[in-house]
Amino acid sequence: MDDTIRIGIRLARPADAGEIAHVYVDSWRDTYANILPEAGLLKMSKAEHTMGWARTIKASNLRNPVLVAADTKQNVYGFASAGPSRDRSLPYEGEVYTLYVAPGWTGQGLGSALLSSVFRLFSKANYRGIIIWALSDNPSRFFYEALGGQIVAERDHTMWGRKMREVGYGWPSLEGLKPTSRIGRGAPLPPTNA
Ligand SMILES: CC(C)(COP(=O)(O)OP(=O)(O)OC[C@H]1O[C@@H](n2cnc3c(N)ncnc32)[C@H](O)[C@@H]1OP(=O)(O)O)[C@@H](O)C(=O)NCCC(=O)NCCS
C-alpha cells in the first residue's frame, strides 16, 4: 500500500479553520518560545483562533487569499494569508500577513511553495511588490532572505506588553521570488486550485 502523504497548495475552505488554528498556535508556541512572553503564548486559545480563521476564510478572495498546504484527508501542514499592504506609506502593494508551517514539517519546501503561490496569485491580481513583516529576533526571517527578500523597513511593535523590533522584507517585483532547491528549479510546483 502506498502510504506517501501527498501535500498540495490550495485555497482554504471554511472547514480548514480548526486545522489552521492548530498549526498557528503550535507554531507560535514553538517559534516564539524565547522571544515573546510565555504567559501570552500559553493563553492562546485554539477555539478562539478557529473562530477568527473561520471569519478570515469567509472574507477571503483571490486578492485577499488564505492558502493551505494540505493533504487529501484535509490535514493542514502550513498556511499563508495575504492581501493589500496595511502600510500604505511603503511602495509595496501586497502583504503576506501570516506564513506558518507546522513544527515538524519545516524545511521540506512547504513554506516556499505557499509563498510562491501567493506571488502567483498577486501577479495575476496585478499587485506591485510584496512586503512581509517578521520579528527581528525570529531566526526564520532568514528564510525570506534565502528567497530574495531584502530588508526595506523597520518598526517597533508592542506584543503582550513587550516592545519588539520588526523588519519588513520587500520584493519590488512579483517576479523577484528567488528559486530554492525545491521550487523553481524543475521541481513540480503543487497546484493552486485558484
Ligand atoms: C519560515 C517558514 C515559513 C519557512 O518554511 P519552510 O517550509 O520551513 O521552508 P522551505 O523548506 O520552503 O525552505 C525554503 C528555503 O529557505 C531556506 N530556509 C528555510 N528556513 C530558513 C532559515 N531559518 N534560515 C535560512 N534559510 C532558511 C531553506 O534553506 C530553503 O532553501 P533551499 O531549498 O535552497 O535549501 C517555516 O520554517 C516556519 O513556519 N517557521 C516558523 C514560523 C515562522 O517563523 N513563520 C514566519 C513568521 S514571519
Side-chain angles (χ1 to χ4, degrees):
M1 198 178 82
D2 179 11
D3 53 4
T4 311
I5 298 175
R6 293 179 204 286
I7 302 174
I9 309 295
R10 61 165 171 79
L11 289 171
R13 304 171 188 134
D16 295 318
E19 284 276 304
I20 290 177
H22 202 75
V23 172
Y24 184 77
V25 173
D26 283 354
S27 185
W28 266 63
R29 288 183 178 149
D30 189 67
T31 307
Y32 302 125
N34 298 310
I35 299 177
L36 289 172
E38 194 184 1
L41 291 171
L42 289 175
K43 259 194 231 153
M44 289 178 84
S45 149
K46 287 184 183 171
E48 277 174 26
H49 282 282
T50 298
M51 287 190 280
W53 281 107
R55 283 192 295 272
T56 304
I57 294 166
K58 204 171 164 204
S60 65
N61 56 51
L62 292 179
R63 287 186 62 81
N64 213 323
V66 180
L67 290 164
V68 289
D71 65 17
T72 48
K73 292 180 180 154
Q74 318 308 329
N75 297 306
V76 170
Y77 301 87
F79 70 95
S81 68
S85 170
R86 293 169 289 192
D87 185 339
R88 299 295 167 95
S89 70
L90 296 166
Y92 301 87
E93 286 183 350
E95 178 176 345
V96 175
Y97 305 141
T98 55
L99 176 63
Y100 289 96
V101 172
W105 288 88
T106 56
Q108 300 187 43
L110 296 181
S112 44
L114 283 161
L115 198 55
S116 163
S117 294
V118 172
F119 270 67
R120 225 162 30 177
L121 284 181
F122 275 15
S123 175
K124 278 190 202 162
N126 291 321
Y127 274 104
R128 268 173 302 173
I130 274 198
I131 191 159
I132 303 177
W133 291 95
L135 292 180
S136 69
D137 286 342
N138 181 0
S140 286
R141 73 184 171 87
F142 297 109
F143 159 80
Y144 300 123
E145 287 179 21
L147 272 74
Q150 296 203 341
I151 295 178
V152 294
E154 293 198 28
R155 68 185 183 193
D156 288 325
H157 176 70
T158 301
M159 185 79 205
W160 295 323
R162 187 175 293 177
K163 198 167 151 191
M164 309 296 304
R165 194 75 179 153
E166 287 188 326
V167 286
Y169 283 96
W171 286 260
S173 152
L174 273 302
E175 277 72 53
L177 192 68
K178 205 169 137 194
T180 73
S181 58
R182 294 172 192 84
I183 300 290
R185 291 192 199 133
L189 191 63
T192 305
N193 299 328

